[in-house]
Amino acid sequence: MSTLQEKVCPHVRNMKQSGFGVLLGRARQIKEELKQGERKPYTEVIDVSSGDLHSAGLKPLSFVRQVLAACLYPELMSSNRLPVDVKQRARRLLGACSGESVGSYTAASGIPDIVHKLSEFITRRDGGVLSHPQNIYISPGSQWSITNLLKLLVNNSASPRTGVLIPVPCHATTIMSLMQVGAAIVPYYLNEEQGWKLQVEELHRALESAKGICNPVALYVINPGNPSGHVQSRESIQEVIQFVSEQRLFLLADEVYQEYIYGEKEFFSYKRVLGEMGPPLSDTVELASFYSASKGFLGECGLRGGYVELVNLDPAVMKHVYTLFSKDSCAPVLAQIALDLMVDPPQPGDPSHPLYNMVGSANLRPAFLTQVVNSLPGFSCHPVEGGAFVFPRLHLPPKAIQKAKKAGMQPDMFYCSRLLEEGGVLTKPGSEYGQKEGTYHIRFCILPTVDIMEELLKRLTSFHMQFMKDFS
Amino acid sequence: MSTLQEKVCPHVRNMKQSGFGVLLGRARQIKEELKQGERKPYTEVIDVSSGDLHSAGLKPLSFVRQVLAACLYPELMSSNRLPVDVKQRARRLLGACSGESVGSYTAASGIPDIVHKLSEFITRRDGGVLSHPQNIYISPGSQWSITNLLKLLVNNSASPRTGVLIPVPCHATTIMSLMQVGAAIVPYYLNEEQGWKLQVEELHRALESAKGICNPVALYVINPGNPSGHVQSRESIQEVIQFVSEQRLFLLADEVYQEYIYGEKEFFSYKRVLGEMGPPLSDTVELASFYSASKGFLGECGLRGGYVELVNLDPAVMKHVYTLFSKDSCAPVLAQIALDLMVDPPQPGDPSHPLYNMVGSANLRPAFLTQVVNSLPGFSCHPVEGGAFVFPRLHLPPKAIQKAKKAGMQPDMFYCSRLLEEGGVLTKPGSEYGQKEGTYHIRFCILPTVDIMEELLKRLTSFHMQFMKDFS
């Protein structure tokens, strides 16, 4: 054993190695085997394990890519291949870059002109509840901002440890961030029977359970939910705000899926609801709200750009925020530009508007999708209200559970592994997100094109019927 | 006082707020004042405070920008405005992206094809000492990799604290990273009288000084030096390797300025020297070597791309490295592509080669520059052997030191502040980097164009003569 291995920081050592890595590796192998001509019941792997839209076949928006290309290589602006509004936008953005180059560093919080645009967007989105540019920080992805806020909030040498309340189920990256900063995780369970509703009684129970174990300082919510696909009502958000105010918790609101709302529900940001609740709450509750260019309709994960808006933080604390964000210079400039394009799209009458507006029309309706899933024996699935994922519950036959346990696998991981092997579909098991003891789920992205989703449903149905038969 | 302010993690609280922020803010104000038509002895501010080349007026490389633009907007490849080698490269790189889009996530360590190119480059650079792709991780800037390695090495809840040896002077970002992870800083002094030589006796003294205070686990070196501008000889590197081996320290080698070498010295990477020293050292010394697209001749700071190569790490430790890097998904894809272009430039015969090869011909010779600085009374400056900066010592008159202290400022900060106000030149004071008690320095970037550097020397000379007269 090397000396270094003994020395590795225990927080890092405790970071959970995702079991999904094995599945991902196998998917890559299968792709390679298919390339080598190996015969399987399918000719390609459908990967719906992440919310990576471009990887799943979505075409990027021309307007976005044209502006980015023009900013990178301004000589393009002399050509007549690019629409006028693309050139105008690129000129404005380049003018805001130091040395008129996207190769320069920017201010730690982002290019002031773009940060200003973000604040205007937020104010518009939130029905006039004001957003201030000095409260916004752009970062390489929203998760990066979440980690920075956790660094601020979590005292990793305190005893008892600093606790953070997080939902079950919760996507894995936030769990990893919490482990890395040395936080104690305080789980609260979303109510699956009620469509993954966030219930305040459960928050109270969770807080109570932490007594004597850790010192909770923050509550993390994700709305629309990932993987749960629920959307909180205004009333539900009000209840949460009331709760954090009473308990003096910092509120971390992950709202990266805010554009994806289906059915009758409406998206309300925590910032808006807080603002509209009025004083004293609107002047006191400390809130961080996160958004991203990866998860919106842009789907530009590879650019790595997100932002956080901070509300009601003490100026002395904001100085620490500045220090944390300035340490890594700045977010990628092209990602900053993508955020500008995301919040300020072409308007009716602009040359790029017609093409831009066709976005998203080719998706399968989530209602149809859950209907198909629910028609399969052993599956039960709440309507997806928002977000990028469906998270159906899987009622596995006892024989399948025994078989999985014998193989040293979580039962839903066993199911996903078979689905990949036999159906050529890569999904993620519920065990990656946390779930009530004895329940099993799978998560998959619902945003790929109709063609892909129809093929996926076909393969899932056929695989599942066989699986249930094999283990009945 | 808000509750949050009391709760802020002490490591974050301890992160030093740079005094330079004030100067930077004032420079922005002055620019605004000039825009508003205010009359000053100069018409624009020369900013040589950072190594941000594009901000300082350097034009980006066409080849790099063309490939990036073509990857973003592949429709450009149908035009005949782009050279053939640009299109070929863009096609290869897009083919390596998931979904053929730069908007997709990549593997945590980077696009395998690009990581492979990096390892080939390293092997070539290091005279055949082999580099393995599985030891390379791409990150959003090299500093990000350094922080990740520190997270691994520094146990922030240990008692005594984990220590890291760093040079004095040392650039501020690494100091900030150390504070953030809660490391104890163990300073070793570079010998200014001997051209900022790194002396092993001094390393021993530093290590001895840490006894009973902290538990040193790593040594950080930066070669070529920033701000010191020295380049280590092969012998000096061998001595350092011998030292870390004897003391069982992890070696962090920051080599981001490796392309900038002046005069007779040659750049040797730590990896190469270690490899050529042979077993047992070459099989046992744990090394991380860092490089970046921001600091090389690309100067593409805004893209945020760097990498680390890890040597001799235990497979169990490499698993933790993977976990740390995978937590933030991946580095920006366009930055990954820039690294590919940096290490695999157009070759003679390629259409883009002639233009590409003109790079860097318009810089002022560092030897001339230090000669001018040395001709000023009260300045003494060692020849710059490498890197992007000159770091002359400033022998300030006692009256200037008194005046600064009365104003509550570090004497060299006082000097830089006056130089900005009266000469319109933004530099950084030595107090930002650490320096021997009672010595003062300023740092400025030497890479802007001849025109800018000549104007800078003119302004510096005129300001300095007046300053020395005022305080004589």
Side-chain angles (χ1 to χ4, degrees):
Chain A
M1 203 189 220
S2 85
T3 52
L4 178 56
Q5 203 190 330
E6 294 154 24
K7 285 183 220 162
V8 165
C9 176
H11 297 149
V12 174
R13 203 194 293 265
N14 289 342
M15 282 170 79
K16 192 177 143 198
Q17 301 275 346
S18 162
F20 177 70
V22 178
L23 224 54
L24 193 64
R26 180 63 192 132
R28 285 203 194 107
Q29 265 179 356
I30 290 177
K31 283 180 199 171
E32 202 46 48
E33 289 166 8
L34 287 168
K35 231 190 236 172
Q36 306 300 325
E38 211 168 289
R39 296 200 47 173
K40 300 196 184 276
Y42 43 88
T43 55
E44 55 182 17
V45 174
I46 298 179
D47 180 356
V48 279
S49 65
S50 84
D52 184 341
L53 297 182
H54 291 202
S55 171
L58 185 90
K59 292 283 160 254
L61 290 166
S62 300
F63 176 73
V64 172
R65 293 306 188 85
Q66 286 170 338
V67 174
L68 290 170
C71 287
L72 265 167
Y73 189 53
E75 281 81 347
L76 290 173
M77 287 194 264
S78 67
S79 129
N80 47 18
R81 285 171 72 107
L82 295 180
V84 173
D85 55 346
V86 165
K87 293 183 194 177
Q88 279 170 345
R89 183 67 69 99
R91 275 197 202 98
R92 193 201 99 219
L93 290 163
L94 275 181
C97 292
S98 186
E100 303 215 343
S101 170
V102 296
S104 301
Y105 289 122
T106 73
S109 60
I111 295 171
D113 193 36
I114 295 178
V115 173
H116 204 268
K117 276 268 180 292
L118 294 175
S119 76
E120 286 176 347
F121 154 76
I122 296 169
T123 303
R124 223 164 41 235
R125 180 198 68 190
D126 289 347
V129 174
L130 275 182
S131 164
H132 303 286
Q134 68 269 27
N135 291 336
I136 297 173
Y137 279 81
I138 301 179
S139 64
S142 59
Q143 195 59 43
W144 197 91
S145 285
I146 294 177
T147 308
N148 257 356
L149 266 288
L150 290 174
K151 281 178 195 163
L152 189 80
L153 294 166
V154 176
N155 180 346
N156 47 25
S157 45
S159 177
R161 286 163 74 202
T162 304
V164 177
L165 278 77
I166 65 162
V168 177
C170 180
H171 68 106
T173 333
T174 296
I175 300 174
M176 293 263 279
S177 296
L178 286 165
M179 288 172 169
Q180 189 197 300
V181 300
I185 290 172
V186 183
Y188 64 89
Y189 288 80
L190 301 176
N191 189 320
E192 180 167 14
E193 287 67 35
Q194 295 193 31
W196 299 110
K197 200 170 176 230
L198 195 170
Q199 294 174 307
V200 173
E201 315 86 80
E202 170 60 12
L203 295 180
H204 281 286
R205 185 209 57 79
L207 201 60
E208 195 62 30
S209 78
K211 273 198 179 149
I213 295 170
C214 67
N215 172 33
V217 299
L219 169 71
Y220 170 84
V221 291
I222 176 159
N223 176 50
N226 172 12
S228 50
H230 71 287
V231 173
Q232 284 186 270
S233 66
R234 180 194 279 271
E235 292 67 35
S236 170
I237 293 172
Q238 285 171 341
E239 285 171 9
V240 172
I241 290 173
Q242 201 76 52
F243 173 81
V244 296
S245 171
E246 284 159 17
Q247 307 295 337
R248 310 194 77 175
L249 296 172
F250 190 102
L251 185 50
L252 299 159
D254 190 338
E255 299 173 322
V256 295
Y257 291 105
Q258 58 188 263
E259 282 162 33
Y260 293 102
I261 307 292
Y262 321 106
E264 287 155 24
K265 283 241 179 129
E266 193 181 336
F267 170 76
F268 294 100
S269 78
Y270 270 82
K271 166 79 183 307
R272 174 181 189 159
V273 176
L274 177 62
E276 291 177 349
M277 286 171 91
L281 289 171
S282 60
D283 297 336
T284 51
V285 168
E286 291 158 332
L287 166 69
S289 156
F290 306 93
Y291 194 22
S292 164
S294 307
K295 304 302 173 195
F297 56 87
L298 259 59
E300 294 281 6
C301 317
L303 296 180
R304 313 302 305 118
Y307 75 81
V308 59
E309 183 190 20
L310 298 158
V311 184
N312 289 328
L313 268 65
D314 189 286
V317 176
M318 285 302 278
K319 273 193 190 161
H320 297 304
V321 171
Y322 174 82
T323 307
L324 275 169
F325 279 83
S326 63
K327 201 200 76 56
D328 289 281
S329 309
C330 63
V333 177
L334 295 165
Q336 299 190 34
I337 290 176
L339 286 170
D340 183 278
L341 305 174
M342 179 175 88
V343 301
D344 185 14
Q347 297 303 311
D350 291 346
S352 301
H353 184 260
L355 199 61
Y356 196 86
N357 230 28
M358 283 165 49
V359 184
S361 54
N363 286 346
L364 207 61
R365 279 179 307 110
F368 171 73
L369 198 138
T370 49
Q371 196 186 317
V372 175
V373 174
N374 271 324
S375 75
L376 300 175
F379 262 119
S380 67
C381 183
H382 286 280
V384 181
E385 299 173 333
F389 303 101
V390 66
F391 193 59
R393 183 166 170 188
L394 198 49
H395 303 267
L396 291 170
K399 276 192 191 163
I401 297 174
Q402 281 161 19
K403 177 95 183 198
K405 287 190 174 161
K406 255 190 203 158
M409 281 168 111
Q410 293 289 341
D412 43 17
M413 175 65 97
F414 173 71
Y415 182 91
C416 290
S417 161
R418 294 283 293 250
L419 174 57
L420 170 64
E421 211 62 58
E422 294 164 30
V425 177
L426 183 62
T427 58
K428 271 189 174 178
S431 48
E432 290 282 304
Y433 304 95
Q435 51 197 352
K436 235 187 207 167
E437 183 78 25
T439 70
Y440 308 109
H441 299 80
I442 66 168
R443 186 195 83 162
F444 58 91
C445 182
I446 61 173
L447 297 177
T449 57
V450 173
D451 290 354
I452 295 173
M453 291 313 288
E454 280 177 349
E455 171 68 16
L456 177 148
L457 288 177
K458 219 172 75 188
R459 292 197 204 173
L460 178 67
T461 304
S462 143
F463 161 78
H464 184 75
M465 300 312 281
Q466 188 60 48
F467 182 92
M468 295 304 269
K469 208 171 122 190
D470 290 352
F471 292 100
S472 67
Chain B
M1 202 189 220
S2 84
T3 52
L4 178 55
Q5 202 190 331
E6 294 153 23
K7 286 183 218 160
V8 165
C9 175
H11 297 149
V12 173
R13 204 194 290 267
N14 289 341
M15 283 171 79
K16 192 176 139 197
Q17 300 276 345
S18 163
F20 178 70
V22 179
L23 224 54
L24 194 63
R26 181 62 193 132
R28 283 201 195 110
Q29 266 179 353
I30 291 177
K31 282 180 199 169
E32 203 44 49
E33 290 166 6
L34 287 168
K35 232 190 234 171
Q36 305 299 325
E38 212 170 288
R39 302 212 29 187
K40 300 195 185 275
Y42 43 88
T43 55
E44 56 181 16
V45 173
I46 298 179
D47 181 356
V48 280
S49 65
S50 83
D52 183 343
L53 298 182
H54 291 201
S55 171
L58 186 91
K59 293 280 159 259
L61 290 165
S62 300
F63 176 72
V64 172
R65 292 305 188 86
Q66 286 169 339
V67 174
L68 290 170
C71 287
L72 265 167
Y73 189 53
E75 282 81 346
L76 290 173
M77 287 194 265
S78 67
S79 128
N80 48 18
R81 285 171 73 106
L82 294 181
V84 173
D85 54 347
V86 165
K87 294 183 193 176
Q88 280 170 345
R89 182 68 68 99
R91 273 197 205 99
R92 193 201 98 218
L93 289 163
L94 274 181
C97 291
S98 185
E100 303 217 344
S101 169
V102 295
S104 301
Y105 290 121
T106 73
S109 61
I111 295 171
D113 193 37
I114 295 179
V115 173
H116 204 267
K117 275 269 180 291
L118 293 175
S119 76
E120 287 175 347
F121 154 76
I122 296 169
T123 303
R124 222 163 42 233
R125 179 198 68 190
D126 289 347
V129 175
L130 274 183
S131 165
H132 303 286
Q134 68 270 29
N135 291 335
I136 296 173
Y137 280 80
I138 300 179
S139 64
S142 59
Q143 194 60 41
W144 198 91
S145 286
I146 294 177
T147 308
N148 257 356
L149 266 288
L150 290 175
K151 281 178 196 162
L152 188 80
L153 294 165
V154 175
N155 179 347
N156 47 24
S157 46
S159 178
R161 288 162 73 202
T162 305
V164 177
L165 278 77
I166 65 162
V168 176
C170 180
H171 68 107
T173 333
T174 296
I175 300 174
M176 295 262 279
S177 297
L178 287 164
M179 286 173 170
Q180 188 197 299
V181 300
I185 290 172
V186 183
Y188 64 87
Y189 289 80
L190 302 176
N191 189 322
E192 180 167 14
E193 288 68 35
Q194 295 193 33
W196 299 111
K197 200 168 178 235
L198 195 171
Q199 294 174 307
V200 173
E201 314 87 80
E202 171 59 12
L203 294 180
H204 280 286
R205 185 208 58 77
L207 201 60
E208 194 63 31
S209 77
K211 273 199 180 147
I213 297 172
C214 68
N215 172 32
V217 299
L219 169 71
Y220 170 83
V221 290
I222 174 159
N223 176 49
N226 171 11
S228 49
H230 71 286
V231 172
Q232 284 186 270
S233 66
R234 180 193 278 272
E235 292 69 33
S236 170
I237 293 172
Q238 285 171 341
E239 285 172 9
V240 172
I241 289 173
Q242 200 75 52
F243 173 80
V244 295
S245 172
E246 284 160 17
Q247 306 295 337
R248 311 195 75 173
L249 297 172
F250 190 102
L251 185 51
L252 300 158
D254 189 340
E255 298 174 320
V256 294
Y257 291 104
Q258 59 188 263
E259 282 163 32
Y260 292 103
I261 307 291
Y262 320 108
E264 287 156 23
K265 285 241 178 124
E266 194 181 334
F267 170 75
F268 294 99
S269 78
Y270 269 81
K271 166 79 182 306
R272 174 180 190 159
V273 176
L274 176 62
E276 291 177 351
M277 285 170 91
L281 289 172
S282 60
D283 298 336
T284 51
V285 169
E286 290 158 331
L287 166 69
S289 155
F290 306 92
Y291 194 23
S292 165
S294 308
K295 304 302 174 194
F297 55 88
L298 261 57
E300 295 280 7
C301 316
L303 296 179
R304 314 302 304 118
Y307 74 81
V308 60
E309 184 190 19
L310 298 158
V311 184
N312 288 329
L313 268 66
D314 189 286
V317 176
M318 285 302 278
K319 273 193 190 162
H320 297 303
V321 171
Y322 174 82
T323 307
L324 275 170
F325 278 83
S326 64
K327 200 200 75 58
D328 290 281
S329 312
C330 63
V333 177
L334 295 165
Q336 299 190 35
I337 290 177
L339 286 170
D340 182 277
L341 305 174
M342 178 174 89
V343 302
D344 186 14
Q347 297 302 309
D350 292 345
S352 301
H353 184 260
L355 200 62
Y356 197 87
N357 230 26
M358 282 166 50
V359 184
S361 54
N363 286 346
L364 206 62
R365 281 180 304 111
F368 172 72
L369 197 139
T370 49
Q371 195 185 320
V372 174
V373 173
N374 272 323
S375 74
L376 300 175
F379 263 119
S380 67
C381 182
H382 286 280
V384 181
E385 296 174 335
F389 303 101
V390 64
F391 194 58
R393 181 164 172 191
L394 197 50
H395 304 267
L396 291 171
K399 277 189 190 167
I401 297 174
Q402 279 160 21
K403 177 95 183 201
K405 288 191 173 160
K406 255 189 204 162
M409 283 169 108
Q410 293 288 340
D412 42 18
M413 176 64 97
F414 174 70
Y415 182 91
C416 290
S417 161
R418 295 283 293 250
L419 173 58
L420 171 63
E421 212 61 58
E422 294 164 29
V425 177
L426 184 62
T427 58
K428 270 190 174 175
S431 48
E432 291 282 304
Y433 305 95
Q435 50 197 353
K436 234 187 207 166
E437 182 78 24
T439 70
Y440 308 109
H441 300 79
I442 67 170
R443 185 195 85 162
F444 59 91
C445 181
I446 61 173
L447 297 176
T449 58
V450 172
D451 290 353
I452 294 172
M453 291 312 288
E454 279 177 350
E455 171 67 15
L456 177 151
L457 288 176
K458 219 171 76 187
R459 291 198 205 174
L460 177 67
T461 304
S462 146
F463 162 79
H464 184 76
M465 299 312 279
Q466 188 60 46
F467 182 93
M468 294 304 269
K469 210 170 120 191
D470 290 352
F471 292 99
S472 68

